[in-house]
């Protein structure tokens, strides 16, 4: 019988079914796959989608509401609606992010390894449809009537499309995990012409490298893009005044 203790097991955490449903819905909202103002399916429909009881669905929705991600409205035009995260994030998340900065720094270290390599693979494996999709997201982000919430959604979709184009589900899942953790911080960024142009410039350079199939260049641009994002978030979180 082995007596050394060079390895450790983790204690089992008992989770309810509603926790798994909550995680999926929360991720979809944070990643803006469900965007502000969008109505969620009814409890009955969600029950069918998740193959769970309506009571379980109700528990998950109650927690989402408590976290300020959805609101439930009564009346003829009632239902459950996604709340605009970016419009309120500067009020809700700034202190939390400051307190969790050490953890966020580690996530950015992880991101700085994962996403540049994802871009490298995508440049070599991306098909025409994915490039067209990226171009569409980029052009939509340039329009004058692009709202703050929609701009942030397009940014996430741009990065997730690159991750999917890597044709490696480990990288794709890693990018989804990373974006779920850093999006509340990214949502703190102000929405003005300077910020918008900086983001568009980075995405334009990245798209051009992907279109050329230049993996090395795509990796380099993604690395710089990530460093710029971290620096901007740091300034945003620790500065005194909030400029929306």
């Amino acid at each position: 019988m082995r007596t050394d203790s060079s390895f450790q097991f983790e204690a089992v955490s008992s989770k309810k079914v509603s926790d798994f449903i909550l995680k999926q819905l929360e991720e979809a909202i944070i990643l803006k796959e469900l965007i502000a103002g969008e109505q969620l399916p009814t409890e009955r429909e969600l029950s069918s989608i998740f193959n769970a009881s309506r009571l379980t669905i109700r528990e998950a929705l109650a927690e989402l509401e408590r976290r300020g991600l959805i609101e439930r409205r009564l009346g003829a035009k009632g239902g459950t609606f996604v709340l605009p995260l970016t419009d309120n994030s500067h009020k809700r998340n700034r202190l939390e992010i400051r307190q969790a900065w050490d953890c966020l720094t580690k996530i950015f270290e992880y991101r700085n390894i994962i996403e540049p390599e994802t871009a490298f693979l995508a440049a070599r494996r991306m098909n025409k449809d994915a490039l067209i999709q990226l171009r569409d997201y980029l052009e939509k982000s340039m329009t004058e009537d692009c709202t703050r919430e929609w701009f942030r959604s397009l940014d996430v979709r741009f990065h997730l499309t690159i991750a999917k184009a890597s044709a490696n589900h480990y990288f794709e899942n890693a990018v989804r995990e990373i974006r779920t953790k850093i999006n509340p911080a990214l949502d703190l960024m102000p929405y003005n012409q300077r910020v918008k142009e900086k983001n568009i410039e980075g995405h334009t350079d990245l798209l051009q490298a992907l279109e050329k199939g230049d993996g090395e260049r795509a990796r380099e641009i993604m690395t710089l893009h990530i460093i710029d994002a971290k620096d901007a978030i740091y300034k945003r979180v620790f500065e005194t005044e909030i400029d929306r």
Side-chain angles (χ1 to χ4, degrees), residues 68-85:
L69 298 176
I70 63 170
E71 70 174 2
R72 286 184 275 190
R73 304 170 189 168
L74 302 176
K77 296 183 179 180
T80 304
F81 296 85
V82 178
L83 289 174
L85 297 183

Side-chain angles (χ1 to χ4, degrees), residues 40-146:
L40 295 183
T42 65
E43 287 184 5
R44 184 186 299 276
E45 291 168 335
L46 287 172
S47 177
S48 176
I49 291 170
F50 288 108
N51 192 27
S53 70
R54 293 183 67 176
L55 176 61
T56 299
I57 297 298
R58 203 167 294 133
E59 288 178 357
L61 293 178
E63 181 59 23
L64 286 174
E65 188 172 33
R66 188 190 71 78
R67 296 183 186 185
L69 298 176
I70 63 170
E71 70 174 2
R72 286 184 275 190
R73 304 170 189 168
L74 302 176
K77 296 183 179 180
T80 304
F81 296 85
V82 178
L83 289 174
L85 297 183
T86 57
D87 285 347
N88 299 313
S89 61
H90 68 291
K91 300 175 183 177
R92 185 176 59 247
N93 291 319
R94 189 167 179 244
L95 180 59
E96 296 171 20
I97 292 168
R98 182 185 297 172
Q99 293 172 338
W101 186 253
D102 286 345
C103 179
L104 194 61
T105 296
K106 291 181 175 61
I107 295 170
F108 269 102
E109 289 175 349
Y110 179 47
R111 186 188 187 198
N112 209 28
I113 295 171
I114 295 297
E115 283 210 64
E117 293 306 314
T118 301
F120 176 84
L121 290 177
R124 299 191 168 193
R125 300 173 178 176
M126 184 169 282
N127 59 39
K128 184 178 179 180
D129 289 342
L131 288 171
I132 291 173
Q133 186 69 78
L134 288 177
R135 175 65 62 182
D136 181 60
Y137 290 150
L138 182 58
E139 290 175 353
K140 286 178 178 176
S141 70
M142 294 178 178
T143 60
E144 291 186 5
D145 61 347
C146 184

